[in-house]
Amino acid sequence: MCADRRHLAVLTTGRQDFGILRSPLMLLRKDPRFALSLWVGGMHLNPRFGEPTKLVRDVGIPISREINFLGEPPDETRDYAIAIRELAAALKDQQPDALLLLGDRTETLAAATAALLTRTPVAHLHGGEESEGAIDNACRHAITKLSHLHLVSHEVHASRVIQMGEPPDSVVVVGAAGLDNLSREDLATDSELSKFLGHPLPDPIVLVTMHPTTLGAGSVTETAPVSAAMADVDATYVITAPNSDAGGDEIRKHWLDW
């Protein structure tokens, strides 16, 4: 890396964070002040989750490292331990000036832990937010305490991070990068989406995304009322598959059976 450029490593572990990271990555890639290393791992490398690495390659951002820590089937405790080991190895090998992380997933917490143990500063996007009923909440706040630069989406979230004891001058309100997708001109049209799915899409079209709450009563208990309500409303439903969290397999099986 050039001595006059900051080497920034960025971790993406699936479609859930890449859609938000897309525009920051494209800007960072063009910024002469930074040397960008994009690391992909987790669900990106597992075909069961749609191989979202293709989304990364389509944008044209080179992938500098693939970090495989997600087992099949996924196991939160095992995968978390492997993620710390593999991410720490990547940090020791590439020695970035900082690691940019987004959100609140367990593998993101593993990355922040690896950064702590390798003395790597962390910049964190979307800290200070609240998601009740999910383990994400605890993970997000833990990542905040392990981070050094807090790039939050709203003044309310900035106040919460500061309440947690973080220095006010380390907290910057940058907005929600995912909103940049509203101005994209390369998204699929209805006809292109219909062709991709191999199914007509008459109106009304309803997108259904159900992920495990992780601290709730149970995935099927929570999903069954959703499918029951859908059965009572005549619409075209496009259902996305769940993520790798505990309970995701139950949701996937429920939709396939339904």
Side-chain angles (χ1 to χ4, degrees), residues 1-8 31-35 97:
M1 297 295 173
C2 297
D4 59 344
R5 302 172 73 194
R6 294 295 181 92
H7 178 199
L8 181 64
D31 194 320
R33 296 172 297 177
F34 295 98
D97 293 308

Short mmCIF file of all heavy atoms in Angstrom, two decimals, residues 1-8 31-35 97:
data_model
loop_
_atom_site.label_atom_id
_atom_site.label_comp_id
_atom_site.label_asym_id
_atom_site.label_seq_id
_atom_site.Cartn_x
_atom_site.Cartn_y
_atom_site.Cartn_z
N MET A 1 0.83 -1.19 0.00
CA MET A 1 0.00 0.00 0.00
C MET A 1 0.88 1.26 0.00
O MET A 1 1.96 1.27 0.58
CB MET A 1 -0.92 -0.01 1.22
CG MET A 1 -1.90 -1.18 1.25
SD MET A 1 -3.09 -1.10 -0.11
CE MET A 1 -3.93 -2.68 0.09
N CYS A 2 0.39 2.32 -0.65
CA CYS A 2 1.12 3.57 -0.70
C CYS A 2 1.18 4.19 0.68
O CYS A 2 0.19 4.21 1.42
CB CYS A 2 0.44 4.54 -1.67
SG CYS A 2 0.41 3.93 -3.38
N ALA A 3 2.34 4.77 1.03
CA ALA A 3 2.54 5.30 2.37
C ALA A 3 1.63 6.48 2.66
O ALA A 3 1.29 6.75 3.81
CB ALA A 3 4.00 5.70 2.53
N ASP A 4 1.24 7.23 1.62
CA ASP A 4 0.42 8.42 1.84
C ASP A 4 -1.07 8.15 1.74
O ASP A 4 -1.87 9.08 1.71
CB ASP A 4 0.81 9.51 0.83
CG ASP A 4 0.64 9.05 -0.61
OD1 ASP A 4 0.53 7.82 -0.83
OD2 ASP A 4 0.63 9.91 -1.51
N ARG A 5 -1.46 6.89 1.68
CA ARG A 5 -2.88 6.53 1.61
C ARG A 5 -3.24 5.66 2.81
O ARG A 5 -2.45 4.82 3.24
CB ARG A 5 -3.19 5.77 0.31
CG ARG A 5 -2.86 6.54 -0.94
CD ARG A 5 -3.02 5.66 -2.18
NE ARG A 5 -4.40 5.42 -2.49
CZ ARG A 5 -4.81 4.48 -3.35
NH1 ARG A 5 -3.93 3.67 -3.93
NH2 ARG A 5 -6.09 4.32 -3.60
N ARG A 6 -4.43 5.86 3.34
CA ARG A 6 -4.91 5.03 4.44
C ARG A 6 -5.47 3.72 3.89
O ARG A 6 -6.33 3.73 3.02
CB ARG A 6 -6.00 5.77 5.22
CG ARG A 6 -5.50 7.01 5.96
CD ARG A 6 -4.52 6.62 7.06
NE ARG A 6 -4.06 7.78 7.81
CZ ARG A 6 -4.64 8.22 8.93
NH1 ARG A 6 -5.71 7.63 9.40
NH2 ARG A 6 -4.15 9.27 9.56
N HIS A 7 -4.95 2.62 4.42
CA HIS A 7 -5.43 1.31 3.99
C HIS A 7 -6.66 0.95 4.80
O HIS A 7 -6.58 0.74 6.02
CB HIS A 7 -4.33 0.26 4.19
CG HIS A 7 -4.75 -1.13 3.82
ND1 HIS A 7 -4.08 -2.26 4.26
CD2 HIS A 7 -5.79 -1.58 3.06
CE1 HIS A 7 -4.68 -3.32 3.78
NE2 HIS A 7 -5.72 -2.94 3.05
N LEU A 8 -7.81 0.89 4.14
CA LEU A 8 -9.08 0.61 4.79
C LEU A 8 -9.62 -0.73 4.32
O LEU A 8 -9.86 -0.94 3.12
CB LEU A 8 -10.10 1.71 4.47
CG LEU A 8 -11.47 1.58 5.10
CD1 LEU A 8 -11.39 1.67 6.63
CD2 LEU A 8 -12.42 2.65 4.56
N ASP A 31 -11.68 7.53 -4.06
CA ASP A 31 -11.05 8.53 -3.21
C ASP A 31 -9.55 8.26 -3.13
O ASP A 31 -9.12 7.21 -2.63
CB ASP A 31 -11.67 8.49 -1.82
CG ASP A 31 -11.32 9.71 -0.98
OD1 ASP A 31 -10.16 10.16 -1.06
OD2 ASP A 31 -12.19 10.19 -0.25
N PRO A 32 -8.72 9.18 -3.58
CA PRO A 32 -7.27 8.94 -3.60
C PRO A 32 -6.65 8.87 -2.21
O PRO A 32 -5.49 8.46 -2.07
CB PRO A 32 -6.73 10.15 -4.37
CG PRO A 32 -7.76 11.22 -4.19
CD PRO A 32 -9.07 10.50 -4.14
N ARG A 33 -7.41 9.23 -1.19
CA ARG A 33 -6.87 9.18 0.18
C ARG A 33 -6.88 7.77 0.76
O ARG A 33 -6.27 7.52 1.80
CB ARG A 33 -7.66 10.11 1.09
CG ARG A 33 -7.55 11.59 0.73
CD ARG A 33 -8.52 12.42 1.54
NE ARG A 33 -9.91 12.05 1.24
CZ ARG A 33 -10.98 12.58 1.85
NH1 ARG A 33 -10.79 13.48 2.81
NH2 ARG A 33 -12.19 12.21 1.51
N PHE A 34 -7.60 6.84 0.09
CA PHE A 34 -7.75 5.51 0.65
C PHE A 34 -7.29 4.43 -0.31
O PHE A 34 -7.49 4.53 -1.53
CB PHE A 34 -9.22 5.24 1.01
CG PHE A 34 -9.75 6.12 2.10
CD1 PHE A 34 -10.48 7.26 1.79
CD2 PHE A 34 -9.51 5.83 3.44
CE1 PHE A 34 -10.96 8.09 2.80
CE2 PHE A 34 -9.99 6.64 4.44
CZ PHE A 34 -10.71 7.78 4.12
N ALA A 35 -6.68 3.40 0.25
CA ALA A 35 -6.42 2.15 -0.46
C ALA A 35 -7.41 1.14 0.10
O ALA A 35 -7.38 0.82 1.29
CB ALA A 35 -4.99 1.69 -0.24
N ASP A 97 -5.05 -0.01 8.16
CA ASP A 97 -5.05 1.08 9.13
C ASP A 97 -6.35 1.10 9.93
O ASP A 97 -6.38 1.59 11.06
CB ASP A 97 -4.87 2.43 8.42
CG ASP A 97 -3.48 2.55 7.80
OD1 ASP A 97 -2.50 2.33 8.53
OD2 ASP A 97 -3.39 2.86 6.60
#
